[in-house]
Amino acid sequence: MKFIGITNYIRLLQDGVFAKAIWNNLILAFFCVVLQVGIAFVISSLLCTKMLKGKAFHQFAIFMPVILAPVVVGFLWKIIYNADYGLLNFFLKLIGHEELIQAWLDDPDIVMRSITVPIVWQWIGMYVVMLVGAMKNISEEIIESAVLDGANGIQRTLYITWPLVLDTVKISIILAVSGCMKLFEHIYIITGGGPGNASMVGAMYAYKTSFIKQKFGYGSTISVGIMLTSLVLVLLVNIIFGKGKKRYE
């Protein structure tokens, strides 16, 4: 081996596959923040109301996917999405919407959206647990005062619950973003980065470069690129939420 300085980093900046992989990571991070944290906030708000019945069952059903290994989730959804015998296409045929049947994992235009669903499904329960814990720590006196002042459920959620759980929301978003930047198992099992490089992500590209092509130096460079991108994203989240918190102070 010989020392090549920053050659690999220059190559990384010109690497179209790496750019595609990071872009896919960013797409996943965006949808995970919006869907995982957003839906988790709505579900948590419902779980903290007195009107909802069977809360223990709902909490178990929502959290159950979290305890599954990502490999299991990957195999499960790969079967669901299968173009020939998959449950999704079978269900669409059953209800008479055959025009919606697609090769969910073989079409470059929709494969990223298809992959997003199992990732959101698996981890949404974790954020529900975090947000429910934060919401239950809100003083009942504050809620009761808002009710006496005539605030409805939506107003209490927007002007009381949201500002008081903002720190937990920030942590949830950071976890969602960092989790998406290191995604590997789901992609490896469901698509392997395909078709072509349509669903390639950073960790998958680093794995293939290092252990399939045996280019360990460049694989390490890819890993550093993923780490720097993750740090920038986390820094942006902190800046955005820092400004948001000052607005409520």
Side-chain angles (χ1 to χ4, degrees), residues 15-121:
D15 191 341
V17 179
F18 176 74
K20 174 67 174 176
I22 292 298
W23 177 247
N24 286 339
N25 278 117
L26 294 176
I27 291 173
L28 288 170
F30 172 78
F31 281 110
C32 284
V33 167
V34 173
L35 298 177
Q36 281 181 341
V37 182
I39 295 175
F41 183 82
V42 174
I43 293 173
S44 301
S45 300
L46 293 173
L47 289 172
C48 289
T49 62
K50 297 179 180 179
M51 296 182 295
L52 187 66
K53 305 297 181 183
K55 292 182 181 180
F57 170 76
H58 293 301
Q59 287 175 327
F60 169 77
I62 294 167
F63 188 75
M64 186 272 293
V66 178
I67 66 177
L68 299 176
V71 173
V72 174
V73 174
F75 274 117
L76 175 64
W77 282 88
K78 187 174 183 178
I79 294 171
I80 291 173
Y81 280 135
N82 187 277
D84 299 319
Y85 55 81
L87 183 62
L88 180 55
N89 282 347
F90 172 79
F91 177 74
L92 291 173
K93 185 177 181 180
L94 190 66
I95 62 176
H97 286 284
E98 296 186 12
E99 72 280 1
L100 298 178
I101 292 176
Q102 300 187 53
W104 301 97
L105 301 177
D106 298 323
D107 187 343
D109 295 329
I110 64 171
V111 66
M112 287 305 299
R113 282 173 280 175
S114 300
I115 290 173
T116 301
V117 175
I119 296 169
V120 171
W121 175 76

Side-chain angles (χ1 to χ4, degrees), residues 37 127 130 165-178 237-238 241:
V37 182
Y127 302 110
M130 293 173 62
V165 300
L166 201 57
D167 286 337
T168 305
V169 171
K170 182 180 79 169
I171 293 171
S172 299
I173 290 176
I174 290 174
L175 289 174
V177 170
S178 60
V237 171
N238 275 294
F241 273 83

Side-chain angles (χ1 to χ4, degrees), residues 74-249:
F75 274 117
L76 175 64
W77 282 88
K78 187 174 183 178
I79 294 171
I80 291 173
Y81 280 135
N82 187 277
D84 299 319
Y85 55 81
L87 183 62
L88 180 55
N89 282 347
F90 172 79
F91 177 74
L92 291 173
K93 185 177 181 180
L94 190 66
I95 62 176
H97 286 284
E98 296 186 12
E99 72 280 1
L100 298 178
I101 292 176
Q102 300 187 53
W104 301 97
L105 301 177
D106 298 323
D107 187 343
D109 295 329
I110 64 171
V111 66
M112 287 305 299
R113 282 173 280 175
S114 300
I115 290 173
T116 301
V117 175
I119 296 169
V120 171
W121 175 76
Q122 178 170 19
W123 297 114
I124 194 170
M126 181 177 72
Y127 302 110
V128 169
V129 170
M130 293 173 62
L131 290 169
V132 166
M135 290 177 185
K136 287 186 175 180
N137 283 329
I138 298 174
S139 174
E140 286 290 335
E141 295 178 355
I142 298 175
I143 304 296
E144 290 172 0
S145 298
V147 173
L148 292 173
D149 288 338
N152 58 36
I154 295 177
Q155 289 172 328
R156 293 197 299 271
T157 299
L158 292 177
Y159 299 111
I160 296 176
T161 304
W162 174 257
L164 292 177
V165 300
L166 201 57
D167 286 337
T168 305
V169 171
K170 182 180 79 169
I171 293 171
S172 299
I173 290 176
I174 290 174
L175 289 174
V177 170
S178 60
C180 286
M181 291 306 296
K182 62 181 182 181
L183 272 175
F184 175 78
E185 296 97 327
H186 298 86
I187 307 297
Y188 181 79
I189 296 298
I190 298 175
T191 64
N197 292 316
S199 63
M200 184 68 71
V201 292
M204 189 74 202
Y205 188 40
Y207 167 79
K208 285 189 172 182
T209 301
S210 298
F211 300 108
I212 304 300
K213 297 181 180 179
Q214 297 287 300
K215 296 180 179 180
F216 295 103
Y218 190 54
S220 299
T221 305
I222 294 170
S223 300
V224 173
I226 297 168
M227 181 192 70
L228 293 176
T229 306
S230 301
L231 288 174
V232 170
L233 290 175
V234 171
L235 180 61
L236 287 175
V237 171
N238 275 294
I239 292 172
I240 292 170
F241 273 83
K243 293 180 178 179
K245 191 171 181 180
K246 288 180 180 178
R247 188 185 310 165
Y248 290 108
E249 290 177 349

